[in-house]
Protein backbone atom coordinates (compact mmCIF):
# COMPACT_ATOMS: atom_id res chain seq x y z
CA UNK A 1 0.00 0.00 0.00
CA UNK A 2 1.30 3.40 -1.00
CA UNK A 3 1.01 5.88 1.89
CA UNK A 4 0.58 8.72 -0.61
CA UNK A 5 -2.46 6.98 -2.08
CA UNK A 6 -4.45 6.58 1.16
CA UNK A 7 -5.88 10.07 0.55
CA UNK A 8 -8.18 8.56 -2.10
CA UNK A 9 -9.66 5.99 0.30
CA UNK A 10 -12.89 6.40 2.24
CA UNK A 11 -14.44 4.38 5.03
CA UNK A 12 -16.84 1.72 3.67
CA UNK A 13 -19.15 2.24 6.67
CA UNK A 14 -19.52 6.04 6.89
CA UNK A 15 -17.65 7.34 3.82
CA UNK A 16 -15.33 9.44 6.02
CA UNK A 17 -11.74 9.91 4.83
CA UNK A 18 -9.40 7.10 5.87
CA UNK A 19 -6.01 7.93 7.34
CA UNK A 20 -3.07 5.69 8.28
CA UNK A 21 -3.13 4.75 12.00
CA UNK A 22 -0.22 2.46 12.78
CA UNK A 23 -0.69 -0.78 10.85
CA UNK A 24 -4.30 0.13 10.12
CA UNK A 25 -6.53 2.67 8.42
CA UNK A 26 -8.98 4.71 10.47
CA UNK A 27 -11.76 7.19 9.69
CA UNK A 28 -12.73 10.18 11.88
CA UNK A 29 -15.66 8.16 13.34
CA UNK A 30 -13.22 5.50 14.53
CA UNK A 31 -13.96 2.68 12.09
CA UNK A 32 -10.66 0.84 11.80
CA UNK A 33 -9.40 -1.57 9.15
CA UNK A 34 -6.22 -3.59 9.41
CA UNK A 35 -3.59 -3.45 6.72
CA UNK A 36 -2.40 -7.01 6.10
CA UNK A 37 1.22 -8.05 6.22
CA UNK A 38 1.17 -8.23 2.40
CA UNK A 39 0.17 -4.56 2.30
CA UNK A 40 -3.49 -4.68 1.31
CA UNK A 41 -6.45 -3.47 3.36
CA UNK A 42 -9.64 -5.45 3.87
CA UNK A 43 -12.50 -2.95 3.55
CA UNK A 44 -15.32 -5.46 3.37
CA UNK A 45 -17.93 -4.53 5.93
CA UNK A 46 -19.34 -7.28 8.11
CA UNK A 47 -22.78 -7.52 6.62
CA UNK A 48 -21.19 -8.41 3.28
CA UNK A 49 -18.61 -10.82 4.62
CA UNK A 50 -21.08 -13.66 4.82
CA UNK A 51 -22.65 -13.24 1.42
CA UNK A 52 -22.47 -16.33 -0.71
CA UNK A 53 -20.75 -14.67 -3.65
CA UNK A 54 -17.28 -14.34 -2.23
CA UNK A 55 -15.40 -13.77 -5.46
CA UNK A 56 -12.63 -15.86 -6.94
CA UNK A 57 -11.45 -18.79 -4.86
CA UNK A 58 -7.77 -19.47 -4.11
CA UNK A 59 -7.75 -22.12 -6.87
CA UNK A 60 -9.24 -19.72 -9.42
CA UNK A 61 -6.68 -17.06 -8.50
CA UNK A 62 -3.79 -19.52 -8.81
CA UNK A 63 -5.04 -20.64 -12.24
CA UNK A 64 -5.44 -17.03 -13.35
CA UNK A 65 -1.95 -16.01 -12.20
CA UNK A 66 -0.36 -19.01 -13.98
CA UNK A 67 -2.30 -18.39 -17.17
CA UNK A 68 -1.58 -14.65 -17.30
CA UNK A 69 2.13 -15.31 -16.72
CA UNK A 70 2.16 -17.18 -20.04
CA UNK A 71 1.58 -13.86 -21.81
CA UNK A 72 -1.41 -14.85 -23.95
CA UNK A 73 -3.39 -11.84 -22.72
CA UNK A 74 -0.50 -9.36 -22.86
CA UNK A 75 -1.98 -7.80 -26.00
CA UNK A 76 -5.19 -7.08 -24.14
CA UNK A 77 -3.32 -5.51 -21.22
CA UNK A 78 -1.29 -3.42 -23.65
CA UNK A 79 -4.43 -2.21 -25.42
CA UNK A 80 -5.89 -1.16 -22.06
CA UNK A 81 -2.61 0.48 -21.00
CA UNK A 82 -2.43 2.36 -24.30
CA UNK A 83 -5.86 3.94 -23.73
CA UNK A 84 -5.05 4.88 -20.14
CA UNK A 85 -1.56 6.20 -20.94
CA UNK A 86 -3.01 8.47 -23.62
CA UNK A 87 -5.72 9.65 -21.23
CA UNK A 88 -3.15 10.52 -18.55
CA UNK A 89 -0.96 12.34 -21.09
CA UNK A 90 -3.91 14.40 -22.29
CA UNK A 91 -5.01 15.28 -18.75
CA UNK A 92 -1.48 16.31 -17.77
CA UNK A 93 -0.08 16.82 -14.29
CA UNK A 94 -2.52 19.65 -13.58
CA UNK A 95 -5.40 17.18 -13.18
CA UNK A 96 -4.00 14.35 -11.08
CA UNK A 97 -6.17 11.49 -10.04
CA UNK A 98 -5.72 7.84 -9.36
CA UNK A 99 -6.29 4.95 -11.74
CA UNK A 100 -8.69 2.37 -10.33
CA UNK A 101 -9.17 -1.19 -11.51
CA UNK A 102 -12.54 -2.35 -10.20
CA UNK A 103 -12.44 -6.14 -9.98
CA UNK A 104 -8.66 -6.12 -10.38
CA UNK A 105 -8.04 -9.84 -9.84
CA UNK A 106 -4.30 -10.47 -9.54
CA UNK A 107 -3.42 -6.89 -10.50
CA UNK A 108 -2.20 -7.91 -13.94
CA UNK A 109 -3.60 -4.91 -15.81
CA UNK A 110 -2.38 -2.34 -13.28
CA UNK A 111 1.06 -3.96 -13.40
CA UNK A 112 1.23 -3.77 -17.20
CA UNK A 113 -0.02 -0.17 -17.07
CA UNK A 114 2.69 0.77 -14.58
CA UNK A 115 5.36 -0.85 -16.81
CA UNK A 116 4.02 0.98 -19.84
CA UNK A 117 4.05 4.37 -18.08
CA UNK A 118 7.59 3.82 -16.79
CA UNK A 119 8.75 2.81 -20.30
CA UNK A 120 7.23 6.08 -21.59
CA UNK A 121 9.18 8.01 -18.94
CA UNK A 122 5.93 9.01 -17.20
CA UNK A 123 5.49 8.90 -13.43
CA UNK A 124 2.66 6.46 -12.66
CA UNK A 125 -0.22 7.95 -10.65
CA UNK A 126 -1.65 6.13 -7.65
CA UNK A 127 -2.72 2.72 -8.98
CA UNK A 128 -5.55 1.23 -6.92
CA UNK A 129 -7.13 -2.17 -7.40
CA UNK A 130 -10.25 -3.46 -5.68
CA UNK A 131 -11.64 -6.97 -5.67
CA UNK A 132 -14.14 -8.85 -3.55
CA UNK A 133 -11.81 -11.86 -3.47
CA UNK A 134 -9.31 -11.73 -0.64
CA UNK A 135 -7.26 -14.39 -2.43
CA UNK A 136 -6.97 -12.23 -5.53
CA UNK A 137 -6.09 -9.10 -3.58
CA UNK A 138 -3.47 -10.88 -1.49
CA UNK A 139 -1.80 -12.14 -4.66
CA UNK A 140 -2.03 -8.71 -6.31
CA UNK A 141 -0.45 -7.00 -3.29
CA UNK A 142 2.37 -9.52 -3.21
CA UNK A 143 3.10 -9.21 -6.93
CA UNK A 144 2.71 -5.43 -7.16
CA UNK A 145 3.97 -3.76 -3.96
CA UNK A 146 4.00 -0.34 -5.64
CA UNK A 147 0.22 -0.31 -6.14
CA UNK A 148 -2.59 -0.18 -3.57
CA UNK A 149 -5.03 -3.07 -3.25
CA UNK A 150 -8.29 -3.28 -1.33
CA UNK A 151 -10.67 -6.12 -0.60
CA UNK A 152 -13.99 -4.43 -1.30
CA UNK A 153 -17.42 -5.22 -2.66
CA UNK A 154 -18.44 -2.95 -5.52
CA UNK A 155 -22.10 -3.61 -4.69
CA UNK A 156 -21.58 -1.99 -1.28
CA UNK A 157 -19.88 1.04 -2.89
CA UNK A 158 -16.22 1.23 -3.89
CA UNK A 159 -14.39 2.72 -0.85
CA UNK A 160 -12.86 5.60 -2.79
CA UNK A 161 -13.69 9.29 -2.74
CA UNK A 162 -16.09 10.84 -5.25
CA UNK A 163 -14.44 11.68 -8.59
CA UNK A 164 -11.04 10.46 -7.38
CA UNK A 165 -10.11 8.66 -10.59
CA UNK A 166 -8.61 9.96 -13.80
CA UNK A 167 -9.35 6.53 -15.26
CA UNK A 168 -11.32 3.50 -14.17
CA UNK A 169 -10.75 0.00 -15.58
CA UNK A 170 -13.45 -2.62 -15.62
CA UNK A 171 -12.06 -5.78 -17.19
CA UNK A 172 -14.52 -8.67 -17.25
CA UNK A 173 -15.99 -7.36 -13.99
CA UNK A 174 -19.60 -6.53 -13.11
CA UNK A 175 -20.50 -2.93 -13.92
CA UNK A 176 -22.57 -0.48 -11.90
CA UNK A 177 -22.87 2.64 -14.04
CA UNK A 178 -23.82 5.00 -11.22
CA UNK A 179 -20.94 3.85 -9.04
CA UNK A 180 -18.40 4.04 -11.88
CA UNK A 181 -19.61 7.58 -12.66
CA UNK A 182 -19.22 8.55 -9.00
CA UNK A 183 -15.59 7.39 -9.05
CA UNK A 184 -14.56 9.17 -12.25
CA UNK A 185 -13.27 12.75 -12.31
CA UNK A 186 -14.68 15.20 -14.86
CA UNK A 187 -13.08 14.43 -18.21
CA UNK A 188 -12.03 11.00 -16.96
CA UNK A 189 -11.99 7.77 -18.93
CA UNK A 190 -13.77 4.52 -18.22
CA UNK A 191 -12.26 1.49 -19.97
CA UNK A 192 -14.57 -1.51 -20.19
CA UNK A 193 -13.39 -4.87 -21.48
CA UNK A 194 -15.98 -7.51 -22.31
CA UNK A 195 -15.68 -10.80 -24.14
CA UNK A 196 -16.52 -10.72 -27.84
CA UNK A 197 -18.79 -13.39 -29.35
CA UNK A 198 -15.90 -15.70 -30.37
CA UNK A 199 -13.95 -15.44 -27.14
CA UNK A 200 -12.44 -18.85 -26.29
CA UNK A 201 -14.99 -20.44 -28.62
CA UNK A 202 -12.79 -23.44 -29.48
CA UNK A 203 -12.15 -24.22 -25.83
CA UNK A 204 -15.81 -23.70 -24.96
CA UNK A 205 -16.74 -26.29 -27.58
CA UNK A 206 -14.21 -28.78 -26.27
CA UNK A 207 -14.84 -28.53 -22.54
CA UNK A 208 -18.15 -26.69 -22.21
CA UNK A 209 -17.38 -23.24 -20.81
CA UNK A 210 -20.01 -20.66 -19.93
CA UNK A 211 -21.27 -19.14 -23.17
CA UNK A 212 -20.87 -15.50 -24.15
CA UNK A 213 -24.06 -13.50 -24.14
CA UNK A 214 -24.82 -12.39 -27.72
CA UNK A 215 -24.89 -8.62 -28.26
CA UNK A 216 -22.89 -8.27 -25.06
CA UNK A 217 -21.25 -5.03 -26.14
CA UNK A 218 -24.56 -3.36 -26.96
CA UNK A 219 -26.03 -4.50 -23.65
CA UNK A 220 -23.07 -2.99 -21.79
CA UNK A 221 -23.31 0.32 -23.68
CA UNK A 222 -27.05 0.48 -22.94
CA UNK A 223 -26.57 -0.25 -19.25
CA UNK A 224 -23.98 2.55 -19.03
CA UNK A 225 -25.88 5.03 -21.22
CA UNK A 226 -27.48 7.12 -18.41
CA UNK A 227 -23.99 8.03 -17.15
CA UNK A 228 -21.56 7.48 -20.02
CA UNK A 229 -21.20 8.00 -23.75
CA UNK A 230 -18.92 5.84 -25.93
CA UNK A 231 -15.58 7.48 -26.74
CA UNK A 232 -13.42 4.77 -28.29
CA UNK A 233 -14.34 1.37 -29.55
CA UNK A 234 -11.92 -1.42 -30.39
CA UNK A 235 -12.32 -5.09 -31.07
CA UNK A 236 -9.14 -6.99 -30.36
CA UNK A 237 -9.15 -10.42 -31.89
CA UNK A 238 -6.26 -12.84 -32.25
CA UNK A 239 -5.42 -16.52 -31.91
CA UNK A 240 -3.05 -18.28 -29.57
CA UNK A 241 -2.07 -21.86 -28.97
CA UNK A 242 -2.49 -23.69 -25.70
CA UNK A 243 -1.64 -27.16 -24.49
CA UNK A 244 -3.40 -29.03 -21.68
CA UNK A 245 -2.12 -27.15 -18.62
CA UNK A 246 -2.90 -23.71 -20.05
CA UNK A 247 -6.29 -24.90 -21.32
CA UNK A 248 -7.15 -26.15 -17.85
CA UNK A 249 -6.03 -22.85 -16.30
CA UNK A 250 -8.33 -20.99 -18.69
CA UNK A 251 -11.23 -23.20 -17.68
CA UNK A 252 -10.44 -22.88 -13.96
CA UNK A 253 -9.86 -19.12 -13.82
CA UNK A 254 -13.22 -17.94 -15.16
CA UNK A 255 -16.88 -18.13 -14.23
CA UNK A 256 -17.04 -21.70 -15.56
CA UNK A 257 -14.91 -22.81 -12.62
CA UNK A 258 -18.05 -22.76 -10.45
CA UNK A 259 -19.80 -25.52 -12.37
CA UNK A 260 -17.32 -27.36 -14.59
CA UNK A 261 -17.44 -31.10 -14.12
CA UNK A 262 -14.17 -32.78 -13.15
CA UNK A 263 -14.39 -34.78 -16.39
CA UNK A 264 -14.42 -31.56 -18.42
CA UNK A 265 -11.34 -30.29 -16.61
CA UNK A 266 -9.62 -33.61 -17.17
CA UNK A 267 -10.45 -33.34 -20.88
CA UNK A 268 -8.87 -29.88 -20.95
CA UNK A 269 -5.76 -31.19 -19.17
CA UNK A 270 -5.35 -33.88 -21.83
CA UNK A 271 -5.44 -31.48 -24.81
CA UNK A 272 -2.20 -31.71 -26.72
CA UNK A 273 -2.62 -28.52 -28.61
CA UNK A 274 -5.54 -26.25 -29.33
CA UNK A 275 -5.71 -22.96 -31.22
CA UNK A 276 -7.95 -20.63 -29.28
CA UNK A 277 -9.48 -17.30 -30.30
CA UNK A 278 -9.11 -14.34 -27.98
CA UNK A 279 -11.93 -11.93 -28.76
CA UNK A 280 -12.09 -8.80 -26.65
CA UNK A 281 -14.13 -5.66 -26.89
CA UNK A 282 -12.04 -2.82 -25.45
CA UNK A 283 -14.15 0.31 -25.15
CA UNK A 284 -13.54 3.76 -23.74
CA UNK A 285 -16.41 5.76 -22.25
CA UNK A 286 -16.59 9.40 -21.16
CA UNK A 287 -18.83 10.58 -18.35
CA UNK A 288 -21.84 12.57 -19.53
ZN1 LIG B 1 -16.16 5.33 9.17
Amino acid sequence: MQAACVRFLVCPVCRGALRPAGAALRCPAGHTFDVAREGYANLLVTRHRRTRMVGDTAAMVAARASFLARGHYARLADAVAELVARQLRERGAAAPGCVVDVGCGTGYHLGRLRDRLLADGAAPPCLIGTDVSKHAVRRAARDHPDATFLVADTRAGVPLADHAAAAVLDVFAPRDGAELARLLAAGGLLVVVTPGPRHLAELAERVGLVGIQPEKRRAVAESLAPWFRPRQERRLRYRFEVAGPAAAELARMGPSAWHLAPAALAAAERLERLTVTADFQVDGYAPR
Side-chain angles (χ1 to χ4, degrees):
M1 173 154 317
Q2 302 285 83
C5 302
V6 172
R7 65 197 158 103
F8 293 110
L9 276 47
V10 301
C11 173
V13 179
C14 71
R15 313 299 294 174
L18 287 174
R19 294 285 174 261
L25 301 173
R26 185 176 298 146
C27 77
H31 301 120
T32 304
F33 305 89
D34 291 338
V35 175
R37 182 167 37 87
E38 294 88 347
Y40 67 88
N42 188 337
L43 301 186
L44 278 186
V45 293
T46 314
R47 69 178 184 277
H48 296 284
R49 268 194 189 139
R50 287 183 196 158
T51 55
R52 211 167 62 81
M53 186 60 200
V54 289
D56 291 357
T57 62
M60 289 167 77
V61 170
R64 178 171 300 271
S66 304
F67 177 78
L68 291 173
R70 297 175 188 273
H72 296 306
Y73 282 6
R75 288 174 62 181
L76 169 62
D78 292 346
V80 171
E82 166 69 33
L83 281 179
V84 177
R86 195 191 313 156
Q87 163 74 6
L88 295 175
R89 259 197 323 272
E90 285 170 4
R91 282 179 76 81
C98 56
V99 174
V100 184
D101 187 350
V102 177
C104 64
T106 58
Y108 181 67
H109 290 279
L110 288 178
R112 295 286 294 198
L113 171 62
R114 179 216 34 228
D115 293 348
R116 161 67 194 262
L117 293 171
L118 291 174
D120 286 353
C126 284
L127 302 175
I128 301 176
T130 71
D131 202 289
V132 72
S133 164
K134 182 179 67 180
H135 306 289
V137 166
R138 185 183 293 143
R139 175 72 189 232
R142 218 176 66 199
D143 289 357
H144 307 285
D146 49 359
T148 297
F149 292 99
L150 311 170
V151 184
D153 185 352
T154 304
R155 293 168 308 171
V158 177
L160 296 172
D162 293 356
H163 310 300
V168 174
L169 314 183
D170 186 300
V171 182
F172 279 54
R175 286 154 307 274
D176 177 332
E179 182 63 358
L180 295 171
R182 183 190 68 78
L183 290 176
L184 258 189
L189 175 72
L190 168 66
V191 180
V192 176
V193 178
T194 49
R198 290 292 298 160
H199 187 56
L200 304 182
E202 301 86 352
L203 187 65
E205 284 153 21
R206 294 290 279 272
V207 302
L209 300 183
V210 173
I212 308 292
Q213 170 195 350
E215 301 290 330
K216 173 91 180 167
R217 186 187 168 273
R218 192 195 296 171
V220 169
E222 279 172 7
S223 74
L224 293 174
W227 302 277
F228 293 96
R229 59 182 171 77
R231 202 170 111 178
Q232 292 111 352
E233 188 184 321
R234 179 174 176 195
R235 186 155 177 208
L236 176 64
R237 201 172 161 183
Y238 59 91
R239 291 197 158 87
F240 61 95
E241 265 191 9
V242 293
E249 286 160 7
L250 265 175
R252 284 197 177 99
M253 70 188 230
S256 298
W258 295 104
H259 43 73
L260 263 185
L265 278 173
E269 288 276 7
R270 280 196 306 272
L271 285 172
E272 258 178 38
R273 186 188 295 175
L274 183 67
T275 301
V276 182
T277 300
D279 185 1
F280 301 111
Q281 192 66 44
V282 185
D283 296 327
Y285 290 87
R288 288 193 188 277

